[in-house]
Amino acid sequence: MSSFTQATAIIDDFVRTFYPPTNEDVVGIDSPSSSPPTQIEPPPSPQDNRRNVPLLSALGQVSCCTIQAPLQMPLFDNSAMDGYAIRSWQTADASPANPLTFRVLGSIAAGDEPPVVPAGSDPSERTCWAIMTGAAFPVSVEQHGQPVVSGPDRYDACVKLELVTARYAQHLTYPESITLTSVVGPEANRRRAGEDIHVGDVLLQQGEVVRKEHVMVLASMGIQALHVSTRPATERQHAGRRLRIGILNTGKEVVLNLNSPTAPDDDSSLRDPKPDPTLSPWTPAHALPTPPSSRSPSLSSLPRARAQLGVSQIWNSNGPYIHASLLTWGFPQDDIDVLPIRLLPGQDGDDPAAFQATVRAALAAPYDVLISTGGVSTGVHDYVPASIAALGGEIGFHKIQMRPGGPMMFAHMGNGRRTDAGAGAGAGAGGRTAYFGLPGNPVAAAVCLRFLVGPALVAMRAGGGDDHGLTLPRGRTVRIRAEESRHLANNVVVVVQRKPALSRMYVAARVCAGTRGADDRDGVLEVEALARGSNMTRALTRADGWVCFPEGEARDTVYDGDLVEWFSLDL
Ligand SMILES: Nc1nc2c(c(=O)[nH]1)N[C@H]1C(S)=C(S)[C@@H](COP(=O)(O)OP(=O)(O)OC[C@H]3O[C@@H](n4cnc5c(N)ncnc54)[C@H](O)[C@@H]3O)O[C@H]1N2
Ligand code: MOO
């Protein structure tokens, strides 16, 4: 586990070794601009140049429509951790002196249809399911097929795998039983359907300039095209070398929806008037959305957005977000490719062999930079670090003391051939292709991109920065305010509570209304901390930046009114 400082030093060393200062030609880029987040333009006039364009082409343009969410987010209850879905009440007596054993009934990966468990089974029997991050929880159903939404039958919580001792039987790919020595709270590590976005929530307003954060959220809804009024592009010039960049998204639950800004013009996501009454077979009735009466074009796209997803699948939002970020930071579209992981006959989703074949081909291409999402944490399907090591990648770091984004890895790779056959994982000789393995959770991926990948790419492009190395983001001191209704502990408004000196922590934040653009009375800008949670993407569309609570500080609580560091959303 590296500290943030160690991680940046490792990347810095790579940049200095393989991408020294360059005198290469200036790269002229039509960058989609970094407009202030909440910039609203006057409503477009009829003679404006309105077009229906693929989502990535809408970056930096003015939206002609107010877009309401056609889907709830998360789409279904799912696990925030790799671990075991249990009935939390059965853990009430667990302690080191009283370890409890649970029989494992099966395993659920993200993208798997969740098992349906008949309610009314013997409650004295302790059972559980192995469950991966992003996987749907088992559904307990009554005799007549109604899902059970509360009560002792429900597998309501996930205990993370680090907290249990697992016993394996030879014929099983998952443990036959686990032993637990601590109590697990109700709903622990369970991300609830709709906790971030409700159907009908406004995601983008008419007249708003489309930013990369909108791309993330709209892509997660399966929205592939937007009506925009095009503005003249602002040409930004970036000196330095061109970098060929490949984006890979792992996870069999992830459905790729956008390939490039040059995808065919498609306005079908803006048609189809009928709402879908059967959002998902296992969504509890109370969570089914009631579409509001005034429908926006995106609400009417609900059947299409949902119908194209299989059970337990999600739209890819990380890929479009990374793509949009690179375009925003001035990397030319021609230099960016989306690299789908293609399965061969007989290969299941999330097959490390398919992933390795894709990376091997990319190394031969060759790419300067590969950025993947997902598969870097601790679960059985998190094969990215081992695969990169097996391909000869030299792992610079895997796991950082940072939240979100802790599972991130960085490696550098050559042509994919191992130089020292038989040596242990990670013993490759490395090379000049930078490999950034970002976590799958979208906010975690965004933090890694902003604070580690972006600065690295800029340094690689320019061969410069601070003394020709990595330019670390520079912050500004601001006063933190807790967003309304944040936790009230003993009448003191607490912004963040964390374990002492644990990790560097980033939280999306927004300059407080009334102080926007101007400092408050004592000259310090006030910013509001927005929702945390590495799957809570909606906050990003309202944010202007990130606040940082640095690592190594003994204090575990950040109070309303404390001074903290603030960073803009863009580089
Ligand atoms: N037992 C433990 N479980 C987890 C830990 C841990 O320390 N112990 N860490 C958690 C943290 S923190 C993160 S972040 C995630 C990262 O996991 P992975 O990088 O292995 O990512 P996945 O499991 O593949 O996906 C996580 C999450 O993100 C969703 N996802 C994935 N790809 C996309 C995409 N392209 N677009 C949108 N959303 C995506 C996926 O469905 C999952 O919900 O691990 C925790 N678990
Ligand atoms: O969910 Mo993890 O911290 O990288 O966000």
Side-chain angles (χ1 to χ4, degrees):
M1 176 94 68
S2 304
S3 69
F4 182 80
T5 313
Q6 287 164 337
T8 52
I10 289 166
I11 298 175
D12 185 54
D13 196 44
F14 164 79
V15 174
R16 286 169 196 274
T17 307
F18 293 100
Y19 293 83
T22 177
N23 294 321
E24 281 174 35
D25 287 347
V26 164
V27 185
I29 293 137
D30 175 10
S31 168
S33 99
S34 40
S35 304
T38 49
Q39 184 178 327
I40 306 280
E41 302 267 323
S45 60
Q47 63 270 36
D48 271 340
N49 187 14
R50 290 176 182 217
R51 283 168 52 214
N52 197 42
V53 297
L55 193 53
L56 284 172
S57 301
L59 256 187
Q61 310 294 351
V62 179
S63 176
C64 295
C65 308
T66 290
I67 303 290
Q68 288 176 270
L71 302 175
Q72 61 182 350
M73 209 49 68
L75 273 166
F76 46 87
D77 283 19
N78 68 85
S79 179
M81 290 285 168
D82 297 314
Y84 298 89
I86 45 142
R87 295 158 164 152
S88 60
W89 65 270
Q90 292 187 323
T91 69
D93 298 331
S95 72
N98 184 33
L100 299 180
T101 297
F102 291 70
R103 187 159 64 87
V104 185
L105 298 178
S107 176
I108 319 163
D112 282 349
E113 195 160 335
V116 174
V117 188
S121 49
D122 179 2
S124 63
E125 200 198 355
R126 282 191 290 266
T127 54
C128 66
W129 293 81
I131 190 167
M132 309 307 144
T133 309
F137 274 80
V139 189
S140 303
V141 289
E142 306 279 13
Q143 260 179 351
H144 48 280
Q146 265 303 98
V148 175
V149 291
S150 62
D153 277 307
R154 223 170 130 247
Y155 292 89
D156 64 321
C158 165
V159 53
K160 66 178 191 171
L161 57 84
E162 294 88 331
L163 294 181
V164 308
T165 310
R167 209 179 54 213
Y168 283 84
Q170 261 182 355
H171 62 288
L172 291 177
T173 52
Y174 51 86
E176 65 176 350
S177 67
I178 57 163
T179 304
L180 184 65
T181 55
S182 53
V183 178
V184 180
E187 307 293 314
N189 296 317
R190 183 181 185 116
R191 303 194 285 210
R192 301 300 307 267
E195 70 181 7
D196 187 22
I197 299 176
H198 295 112
V199 170
D201 282 352
V202 171
L203 306 176
L204 175 69
Q205 292 181 41
Q206 184 190 43
E208 205 170 347
V209 175
V210 181
R211 299 180 298 124
K212 59 191 195 319
E213 287 71 25
H214 296 121
V215 169
M216 172 193 280
V217 174
L218 297 177
S220 76
M221 300 274 154
I223 293 173
Q224 305 184 16
L226 274 187
H227 269 302
V228 291
S229 165
T230 49
R231 307 192 299 171
T234 23
E235 190 78 6
R236 284 166 62 191
Q237 303 277 308
H238 293 279
R241 59 171 69 82
R242 295 181 70 159
L243 301 172
R244 192 165 175 203
I245 306 171
I247 302 172
L248 300 91
N249 298 109
T250 71
K252 72 175 176 189
E253 77 279 23
V254 175
V255 177
L256 299 192
N257 47 357
L258 290 170
N259 287 325
S260 82
T262 52
D265 215 20
D266 173 10
D267 70 352
S268 47
S269 67
L270 303 174
R271 289 200 295 262
D272 204 335
K274 290 184 293 305
D276 181 358
T278 55
L279 191 74
S280 105
W282 69 90
T283 304
H286 69 81
L288 281 172
T290 322
S293 49
S294 75
R295 291 214 195 97
S296 72
S298 55
L299 271 184
S300 65
S301 74
L302 188 145
R304 183 181 151 87
R306 179 70 220 178
Q308 290 180 359
L309 291 179
V311 171
S312 300
Q313 285 187 320
I314 58 169
W315 291 109
N316 179 21
S317 62
N318 288 332
Y321 182 71
I322 293 170
H323 206 147
S325 301
L326 297 175
L327 294 173
T328 303
W329 297 334
F331 292 91
Q333 168 51 36
D334 285 352
D335 296 353
I336 305 167
D337 292 314
V338 176
L339 307 174
I341 299 164
R342 298 198 191 284
L343 294 177
L344 297 173
Q347 285 176 334
D348 189 13
D350 282 336
D351 191 314
F355 170 77
Q356 288 182 26
T358 309
V359 174
R360 200 178 286 113
L363 293 172
Y367 282 85
D368 297 287
V369 180
L370 295 173
I371 307 173
S372 68
T373 60
V376 288
S377 185
T378 39
V380 284
H381 299 289
D382 296 334
Y383 52 74
V384 169
S387 295
I388 293 304
L391 290 170
E394 182 147 329
I395 310 281
F397 61 83
H398 178 207
K399 301 199 172 164
I400 325 176
Q401 286 173 306
M402 178 174 93
R403 274 191 186 169
M408 179 185 167
M409 66 160 279
F410 167 75
H412 61 112
M413 320 185 66
N415 59 9
R417 279 193 290 276
R418 292 200 63 150
T419 47
D420 54 348
R432 77 191 301 275
T433 299
Y435 190 98
F436 296 94
L438 310 188
N441 280 324
V443 182
V447 164
C448 296
L449 200 65
R450 166 64 181 86
F451 293 99
L452 289 146
V453 183
L457 298 194
V458 167
M460 288 167 74
R461 171 167 71 189
D466 282 346
D467 197 19
H468 306 310
L470 198 66
T471 305
L472 284 179
R474 289 194 186 87
R476 149 180 192 169
T477 303
V478 297
R479 174 164 292 118
I480 189 81
R481 291 289 176 210
E483 199 186 17
E484 230 182 310
S485 81
R486 187 60 71 210
H487 335 265
L488 277 171
N490 304 324
N491 288 336
V492 177
V493 183
V494 172
V495 181
V496 170
Q497 270 184 315
R498 56 179 190 162
K499 289 180 190 160
L502 178 72
S503 297
R504 169 172 286 239
M505 184 168 177
Y506 290 102
V507 175
R510 172 186 175 84
V511 175
C512 290
T515 67
R516 178 166 301 282
D519 292 354
D520 76 355
R521 252 170 285 147
D522 62 358
V524 183
L525 200 66
E526 297 200 336
V527 303
E528 217 174 23
L530 304 175
R532 293 168 268 300
S534 55
N535 64 320
M536 305 292 267
T537 55
R538 185 161 178 229
L540 292 189
T541 63
R542 301 172 49 223
D544 335 273
W546 300 95
V547 284
C548 175
F549 309 110
E551 67 275 33
E553 281 193 357
R555 65 176 181 162
D556 63 356
T557 306
V558 180
Y559 297 102
D560 188 64
D562 281 354
L563 296 181
V564 295
E565 287 283 277
W566 180 88
F567 299 87
S568 63
L569 278 182
D570 281 311
L571 297 175

